[in-house]
Amino acid sequence: MTMTPSVNTTTVAGVIGIVSVMTLLKYIMTSRRRIHVPTLPKIDPPPKFSDTDADIIVIGGGFTGATFAARCGMDGRKVVMIEKNMGIDDTFRGEGLLPAGVNTLETLGMKDVLDDVDGNIITEYAFHDMRLGGKPAIVRLPEPGMLVMRHSSFVSALRNKVLSQQSVTVIEGVGKELLKENGRVVGVKYRRKGQDNLEEMRAPLVVVSDGHYPHLSNEFQTTYKPVSESFVLGILLKDHEFGEGGGKHRADMIVGTSHAQYTVYYLNKHDIRSMVVVNGPTPSDLNKFVEEKVAALAPDHMKESYLRSAKSVSRVQSVRTKSMAANVDSTPGVLVLGDAFNNRHPITACGMTVALKDVCYWWNALSNVKDLTDDKAIYEQKLHFHKERLDWAYALNVMAEFSSRLFSLNDESVIKMQQFMIKSLRSVPEEERSKPNDVSGLFGGTVTDPEAVKNLLDGTLQGTIQEIYDTQPYLYAVWEAMKVRRKWNAMMKEIMEPYALN
């Protein structure tokens, strides 16, 4: 399934499409040339470590850190994981694991952690456009579907996996400063929970995974910094009724409101989650915002659910969206992983999948490095890491950033592109939806070919321009097509300059 026009474009539309494709390719190729790993600094003399030191220190026991610590512990590595709070934190965070992420967890040999997760499987997206009306556009996800769950439930299961490893020690505390010798990271200064004094710990490899609000990893964000232009409300709906065709295994994505994009799905057998993406600053009173803005502009059958939820503080949370392309760093003795390394808009729920794929790479890579003090061997793995992740990271990151703009920007030209895509998805015959295709694979993370992403983006642009020429007077169509192309180029510049093949 590809986003292609149904009839031939006019000459002008064709020229506009060709120029835009060339612009897109320019950004991709320029970004490919920019990817460069700095040379390995010479460390003289090399640091020494004792037999009592850990092999690996993991700073941060969230989703990425706990996965990495558990997997290394399963291999018998001597690991210390430092996490500030080992209790259950039910703060709203990423809740979706794409089909590609479920498959990667199985590759890691850790799929059993899902046995302890209270979640639900989403098998399809239903895109509803409030401006267009009519039936939703359906996108079936690849097997085994997307797992959704409370973030705390998944992290708790992963931490239990960590605690079950005899070679892993867990310290409840906060990493305060990286220890360095001659420019090489050799350990960490940390403070145990409830203590005032700082302690030091050494290890040949320190993995920094300090998450969505990084502290120690800031110094490695040298090229790209986190950018935040919107926030996501995580609302637990009370007594919600799905519209026609809705059900336990479908995520309803509602677009076409003037200020927000809504997604509603069963989080588990008891809870229904609504994620609402809103551009701009986070309001100080979330419940008032839900009552006055979110409920007011929601579809009629959803208004009462939002009003009921707005009366409970515990049912409404928020998180800032963050976008940050991967930073390339050659500092010996340290790896940065998770949201502190690479971030993108959460609309496609691919964050945990990206993190798992990075963890999977380093688990395999480190199994081939017998001596973790061998900085050259790990540096060569870093070189290979950035090359190997180019295609799939491009596909996942660009799909997230493109979707966030396509479905949440209240711009006339973007609305035209959004409606073309939804009408194109609607036109897919029912018998074709369950067959493997690029659109389904891109949303599910199983298709990671940059060419497939380019075809989807290019098809959206060319189809939108063609539709303008098919339905509008010629001179007006020329003007409207130029506006669409201008907005398209601005979007591609924002997305491709940091994310293309990075």
Side-chain angles (χ1 to χ4, degrees):
M1 184 196 307
T2 56
M3 307 294 294
T4 55
S6 57
V7 296
N8 290 331
T9 58
T10 65
T11 302
V12 175
V15 170
I16 290 174
I18 291 170
V19 171
S20 295
V21 172
M22 292 175 66
T23 304
L24 174 60
L25 288 173
K26 172 190 169 185
Y27 286 133
I28 292 176
M29 297 311 297
T30 311
S31 295
R32 180 190 290 272
R33 290 195 296 271
R34 275 206 310 269
I35 294 174
H36 171 68
V37 181
T39 57
L40 178 68
K42 185 177 181 181
I43 307 300
D44 190 22
K48 296 186 181 299
F49 299 92
S50 70
D51 292 339
T52 59
D53 291 330
D55 296 326
I56 301 171
I57 298 171
V58 178
I59 302 172
F63 174 80
T64 306
T67 304
F68 189 89
R71 182 59 260 188
C72 290
M74 290 164 65
D75 290 340
R77 297 272 196 187
K78 189 162 57 172
V79 179
V80 175
M81 186 179 84
I82 301 174
E83 164 56 35
K84 65 179 179 181
N85 180 18
M86 286 294 288
I88 296 177
D89 178 7
D90 209 21
T91 302
F92 172 61
R93 289 289 184 273
E95 295 180 332
L97 189 62
L98 297 182
V102 176
N103 296 338
T104 304
L105 198 62
E106 185 169 16
T107 301
L108 284 165
M110 296 177 59
K111 195 175 179 181
D112 59 313
V113 300
L114 300 181
D115 296 339
D116 298 324
V117 174
D118 182 18
N120 180 38
I121 295 293
I122 300 297
T123 59
E124 66 182 30
Y125 282 118
F127 294 89
H128 305 258
D129 192 310
M130 292 180 65
R131 295 186 181 95
L132 283 176
K135 64 180 182 178
I138 304 296
V139 174
R140 297 266 163 76
L141 293 172
E143 293 290 339
M146 176 172 66
L147 174 67
V148 292
M149 77 305 276
R150 286 180 182 264
H151 189 82
S152 57
S153 175
F154 201 176
V155 171
S156 179
L158 288 166
R159 288 177 179 175
N160 287 337
K161 189 77 169 179
V162 172
L163 293 169
S164 70
Q165 307 307 313
Q166 292 185 347
S167 63
V168 180
T169 301
V170 176
I171 295 176
E172 199 165 26
V174 178
K176 302 298 290 184
E177 181 184 345
L178 294 176
L179 295 174
K180 296 180 181 178
E181 291 181 6
N182 298 320
R184 189 199 193 279
V185 174
V186 296
V188 63
K189 287 184 179 180
Y190 66 98
R191 179 181 289 121
R192 291 180 186 267
K193 187 175 182 179
Q195 301 294 318
D196 294 327
N197 61 302
L198 291 179
E199 301 178 52
E200 294 186 0
M201 182 182 301
R202 291 171 62 89
L205 183 62
V206 177
V207 175
V208 181
S209 180
D210 48 359
H212 201 67
Y213 300 101
H215 168 58
L216 294 180
S217 60
N218 283 338
E219 66 176 283
F220 304 107
Q221 295 170 358
T222 53
T223 304
Y224 301 107
K225 303 289 184 183
V227 175
S228 179
E229 297 180 345
S230 60
F231 65 96
V232 181
L233 289 166
I235 306 168
L236 288 175
L237 295 182
K238 193 173 182 180
D239 302 324
H240 176 73
E241 293 185 9
F242 282 86
E244 182 181 353
K248 185 175 181 181
H249 301 296
R250 188 172 94 174
D252 285 323
M253 185 174 285
I254 299 154
V255 300
T257 70
S258 62
H259 78 289
Q261 176 271 320
Y262 300 71
T263 305
V264 185
Y265 51 90
Y266 272 94
L267 190 57
N268 49 47
K269 60 185 176 183
H270 304 294
D271 300 316
I272 296 174
R273 170 72 80 195
S274 174
M275 288 175 53
V276 183
V277 179
V278 185
N279 294 316
T282 307
S284 57
D285 190 332
L286 294 178
N287 291 70
K288 183 178 180 180
F289 184 84
V290 171
E291 182 178 0
E292 295 182 354
K293 299 291 186 181
V294 175
L297 294 173
D300 290 342
H301 73 279
M302 298 171 65
K303 291 182 186 294
E304 287 300 320
S305 297
Y306 286 109
L307 288 173
R308 284 191 290 267
S309 297
K311 296 176 181 178
S312 172
V313 174
S314 64
R315 301 186 79 86
V316 181
Q317 297 185 60
S318 74
V319 64
R320 292 297 303 179
T321 67
K322 290 192 176 183
S323 300
M324 182 180 69
N327 285 282
V328 182
D329 180 76
S330 64
T331 305
V334 64
L335 296 177
V336 181
L337 294 176
D339 284 348
F341 168 63
N342 184 200
N343 219 323
R344 80 294 307 151
H345 197 283
I347 192 169
T348 57
C350 70
M352 290 194 290
T353 297
V354 172
L356 277 179
K357 290 173 81 69
D358 286 341
V359 167
C360 192
Y361 174 86
W362 280 108
W363 161 56
N364 279 312
L366 293 180
S367 66
N368 296 320
V369 178
K370 294 182 180 179
D371 183 2
L372 295 179
T373 65
D374 187 346
D375 293 339
K376 183 178 179 181
I378 293 180
Y379 173 75
E380 289 173 350
Q381 290 294 344
K382 282 186 178 181
L383 291 174
H384 189 259
F385 170 61
H386 286 285
K387 292 176 182 177
E388 183 165 293
R389 80 189 299 272
L390 288 181
D391 285 357
W392 65 257
Y394 165 84
L396 290 167
N397 288 330
V398 170
M399 274 297 294
E401 293 297 311
F402 175 67
S403 298
S404 73
R405 289 160 176 79
L406 186 69
F407 294 121
S408 64
L409 289 181
N410 189 31
D411 176 272
E412 181 184 350
S413 295
V414 175
I415 290 169
K416 286 183 171 65
M417 290 184 269
Q418 174 195 112
Q419 292 184 344
F420 168 76
M421 176 177 275
I422 287 178
K423 285 185 282 189
S424 296
L425 293 173
R426 281 180 181 175
S427 68
V428 178
E430 172 66 28
E431 61 273 13
E432 294 294 320
R433 290 176 185 161
S434 299
K435 296 179 181 179
N437 60 76
D438 284 353
V439 174
S440 171
L442 288 170
F443 276 105
T446 56
V447 172
T448 56
D449 182 0
E451 191 68 19
V453 181
K454 187 185 82 65
N455 289 340
L456 177 66
L457 271 58
D458 177 42
T460 302
L461 172 66
Q462 291 197 46
T464 302
I465 290 175
Q466 176 184 307
E467 188 170 63
I468 291 171
Y469 276 92
D470 288 345
T471 58
Q472 303 294 334
Y474 181 76
L475 291 179
Y476 180 77
V478 171
W479 173 249
E480 287 298 304
M482 289 180 66
K483 286 167 58 179
V484 168
R485 180 199 163 200
R486 189 160 52 243
K487 184 62 181 179
W488 170 267
N489 286 342
M491 288 170 57
M492 290 303 102
K493 183 177 176 65
E494 291 174 356
I495 297 170
M496 295 300 173
E497 284 199 343
Y499 281 105
L501 302 184
N502 183 358

